[in-house]
Amino acid sequence: MDALLTPIRKFLQCETPTAWLNDAVKPENLPNLLIDHLVCELKAAQSAMLLIRRYAVDDASGDALLAWLQPYEDFAYRKRGDWRELADHERLTKAMLPKSDTAYSQVLIDKMVMLIKEELHHFYQVLEIMDALGIAYDNISSSRYARGMLRHVRTHEPATLMDKLICGAYIEARSCERFAALAPHVDPALGKFYSSLLRSEARHFEDYLELAEQISGQPIATRVAFFGEIEAQLIQQPDTELRFHSGPVPAGM
Ligand SMILES: [Fe+2]
Ligand SMILES: [Fe+2]
């Protein structure tokens, strides 16, 4: 576990504040945290999907990809369908996607398709844990976190893609760091689940970083440091609502 966490902690510019952790482990906050986590898994799949559709495939393949996500989105945003049926829905394979003619977009497709499959599987696993703990799904507002980073993404290519990938790396790395922080303090089954996610997400952070490096063709350290600072602020500064990626919420908020 430590071997996985060392590069993550090195990459992140701050640790999760104790004030956040103290609140996050309170049983009354568990539904909020799990539902937000569930939606974050879907968002991780959606943003990987957007990257493929925007940068690597034609419209028809893009539509096929969208259909893949549809039942998950129907469940999360429209409360449609039975979550148990999602178990049969991890069907899309790499072979169903067209090959790309540019080297970097093929790498992007391969990495992102793997990642989407894993995120959708996590989505299902969170639903299983929620079911076991008797937590019903409900809509939830999203935190400022991802938005707060993405608004600094530059608006010209390839800088836009590079910045988005770096933001993706931070979101994944922070998720790992928080899974590790939460795991010892929650219900043992949930703690075990968080540890298993840590193993899976640890690779995602590196996937995003490697892609950013390959695509930019030049050192990305300055941009990484830039987003690292913004990320650390969003994690440390007081927030208004407790979420998986929120800052600490001062009493009385
Ligand atoms: Fe995930
Ligand atoms: Fe992930």
Side-chain angles (χ1 to χ4, degrees):
M1 205 65 92
D2 274 353
L4 283 177
L5 277 169
T6 305
I8 289 164
R9 295 211 165 111
K10 221 174 121 199
F11 178 60
L12 296 171
Q13 292 191 13
C14 73
E15 265 180 57
T16 282
T18 313
W20 180 89
L21 188 59
N22 289 344
D23 265 353
V25 298
K26 287 180 185 158
E28 67 264 33
N29 287 325
L30 184 61
N32 238 359
L33 220 64
L34 274 177
I35 293 171
D36 187 47
H37 173 185
L38 175 76
V39 177
C40 287
E41 298 289 1
L42 179 59
K43 283 188 184 150
Q46 285 173 317
S47 41
M49 179 75 78
L50 270 178
L51 289 176
I52 301 182
R53 293 185 72 231
R54 168 84 177 77
Y55 294 101
V57 299
D58 58 25
D59 286 353
S61 323
D63 290 347
L65 283 169
L66 275 190
W68 186 22
L69 279 194
Q70 190 70 46
Y72 299 88
E73 293 174 336
D74 280 345
F75 179 85
Y77 301 132
R78 295 164 206 103
K79 294 193 185 173
R80 258 188 237 149
D82 182 338
W83 67 269
R84 286 170 191 86
E85 284 166 17
L86 296 173
D88 304 321
H89 206 74
E90 294 162 34
R91 275 170 303 184
L92 197 87
T93 59
K94 271 190 213 174
M96 287 164 67
L97 286 168
K99 296 288 171 216
S100 168
D101 42 10
T102 63
Y104 89 71
S105 54
Q106 192 57 51
V107 179
L108 186 87
I109 290 173
D110 292 347
K111 284 209 159 131
M112 292 295 112
V113 166
M114 275 304 287
L115 190 138
I116 292 166
K117 284 187 112 167
E118 289 174 358
E119 304 298 11
L120 293 178
H121 183 60
H122 300 161
F123 182 89
Y124 185 79
Q125 289 179 302
V126 180
L127 283 169
E128 275 183 324
I129 284 270
M130 283 171 58
D131 187 60
L133 297 170
I135 295 169
Y137 177 71
D138 203 357
N139 293 328
I140 193 166
S141 59
S142 56
S143 69
R144 66 182 182 187
Y145 178 73
R147 243 187 348 262
M149 270 191 284
L150 290 169
R151 67 191 181 85
H152 297 280
V153 166
R154 290 168 293 176
T155 53
H156 56 93
E157 296 296 355
T160 304
L161 178 54
M162 188 179 136
D163 285 358
K164 281 183 183 169
L165 292 168
I166 294 171
C167 291
Y170 273 106
I171 297 170
E172 297 285 351
R174 180 61 65 187
S175 305
C176 288
E177 192 254 358
R178 289 213 155 159
F179 289 137
L182 287 166
H185 304 289
V186 294
D187 169 276
L190 183 60
K192 216 174 137 204
F193 175 51
Y194 283 158
S195 303
S196 78
L197 285 180
L198 198 167
R199 281 188 283 276
S200 164
E201 310 285 2
R203 260 202 354 269
H204 293 174
F205 125 77
E206 280 160 354
D207 280 348
Y208 274 116
L209 270 192
E210 279 165 21
L211 272 175
E213 247 158 25
Q214 279 170 14
I215 286 165
S216 80
Q218 49 183 299
I220 59 169
T222 312
R223 254 352 240 176
V224 168
F226 170 79
F227 279 107
E229 200 171 311
I230 290 162
E231 199 272 345
Q233 282 167 14
L234 290 163
I235 284 298
Q236 288 173 307
Q237 285 172 3
D239 213 328
T240 50
E241 283 163 319
L242 190 78
R243 293 288 182 268
F244 196 86
H245 294 104
S246 70
V249 181
M253 287 292 282

